[in-house]
Amino acid sequence: LYQIKIEFAQSVFVQAGGMNMSLCERKKFLIVSGTEKGREALRVLLGEMDDADTLAAADAADANEQLLREDFDALIINTPLSDGFGHELAFSAAENGSGVLLIVKQDHFDEVCSLAEPKGILTITRPIVRSVFRQSVRLMMAFRSRMKQVQDENRRLQTKLEEMKAISRAKCILMEYLRMNEQQAHKYIERPAMDMRMSKGKVALGILKTYEP
């Protein structure tokens, strides 16, 4: 009998395109396990999935060194590790945008889930059931894809907001220093943006650099 708390990811899985979102592109996985037997077993499981490239680490220190050298789409962490349980590595990787799947003993499942779920980390128990592992990896990758979309959209909106603030400040400066009205100030920013094929935000920033101390 196994348990897996992945209900929160079901809607994300559907929104991200279901099965087609899982491994439609090549994904790079970092397997972290304290034993060669564990690493090999996880290599085999991931090898059954299309387009999955894998590297392995023996402990958290080794994993962190590899994470400094290159980016991974996801980490599969078979706890505990020789230099810690593995949750700190999981939290750090999740904060940096990697998907994370934790594998724990049944006795630790509820405790680990209470800490991992708020960070978007999936947890399954040993012994590993092949179908549960495959579903968990696919859900993890769909969740990561959805989160990346949200983060990208947030960055886009933040950039747009900063641009609008710059344009507004530039208009105020033009109205103050060049005695323009708001419509004139708007055209003053819009015209060079069109002529030079650049954003109004960049034109506004140029005005701010000229007039602001």
Side-chain angles (χ1 to χ4, degrees):
L1 180 64
Y2 59 83
Q3 289 179 296
I4 178 169
K5 293 184 177 180
I6 54 177
E7 294 88 348
F8 78 96
Q10 294 290 349
S11 61
V12 174
F13 183 57
V14 173
Q15 292 179 44
M19 302 298 284
N20 292 331
M21 280 299 299
S22 59
L23 294 172
C24 57
E25 299 177 356
R26 296 204 71 82
K27 305 295 183 183
K28 185 180 291 185
F29 292 84
L30 179 61
I31 296 168
V32 190
S33 180
T35 65
E36 179 56 41
K37 181 180 179 181
R39 294 191 290 274
E40 183 57 31
L42 291 171
R43 281 195 195 96
V44 171
L45 286 171
L46 284 172
E48 295 175 356
M49 307 180 76
D50 296 335
D51 301 324
D53 296 326
T54 62
L55 291 175
D59 52 34
D62 185 9
N64 281 320
E65 287 182 7
Q66 295 196 49
L67 287 167
L68 289 174
R69 292 196 299 268
E70 53 189 313
D71 295 326
F72 290 89
D73 294 293
L75 277 71
I76 312 293
I77 304 174
N78 186 25
T79 66
L81 305 176
S82 61
D83 54 355
F85 185 77
H87 62 289
E88 292 183 354
L89 171 64
F91 296 166
S92 175
E95 288 175 1
N96 289 324
S98 295
V100 180
L101 176 64
L102 281 170
I103 303 170
V104 303
K105 291 182 179 180
Q106 181 69 51
D107 293 345
H108 297 148
F109 181 78
D110 289 328
E111 180 183 358
V112 172
C113 275
S114 67
L115 298 173
E117 284 182 355
K119 299 179 183 297
I121 297 172
L122 291 178
T123 307
I124 61 174
T125 61
R126 290 192 300 270
I128 298 173
V129 177
R130 179 178 275 100
S131 60
V132 173
F133 179 83
R134 290 173 63 88
Q135 183 186 33
S136 299
V137 170
R138 294 182 185 280
L139 285 169
M140 173 180 62
M141 298 311 298
F143 180 76
R144 178 181 180 272
S145 177
R146 180 59 177 167
M147 287 302 297
K148 186 176 184 302
Q149 292 174 20
V150 172
Q151 290 167 354
D152 289 344
E153 179 64 12
N154 285 342
R155 282 192 289 268
R156 187 190 70 80
L157 292 174
Q158 184 63 35
T159 299
K160 186 66 176 178
L161 179 61
E162 293 300 324
E163 182 179 272
M164 291 173 64
K165 288 181 179 179
I167 292 171
S168 179
R169 292 206 313 273
K171 284 182 179 180
C172 290
I173 284 176
L174 292 173
M175 292 167 67
E176 178 181 356
Y177 287 92
L178 300 185
R179 304 302 180 186
M180 295 181 179
N181 59 37
E182 185 174 358
Q183 185 177 6
Q184 290 171 328
H186 176 79
K187 290 182 178 180
Y188 189 90
I189 295 171
E190 185 177 51
R191 188 176 298 110
M194 295 177 61
D195 293 343
M196 294 184 285
R197 295 183 179 180
M198 59 192 302
S199 70
K200 289 186 287 186
K202 288 185 177 180
V203 174
L205 288 175
I207 293 171
L208 294 177
K209 288 180 181 180
T210 300
Y211 289 96
E212 285 190 336

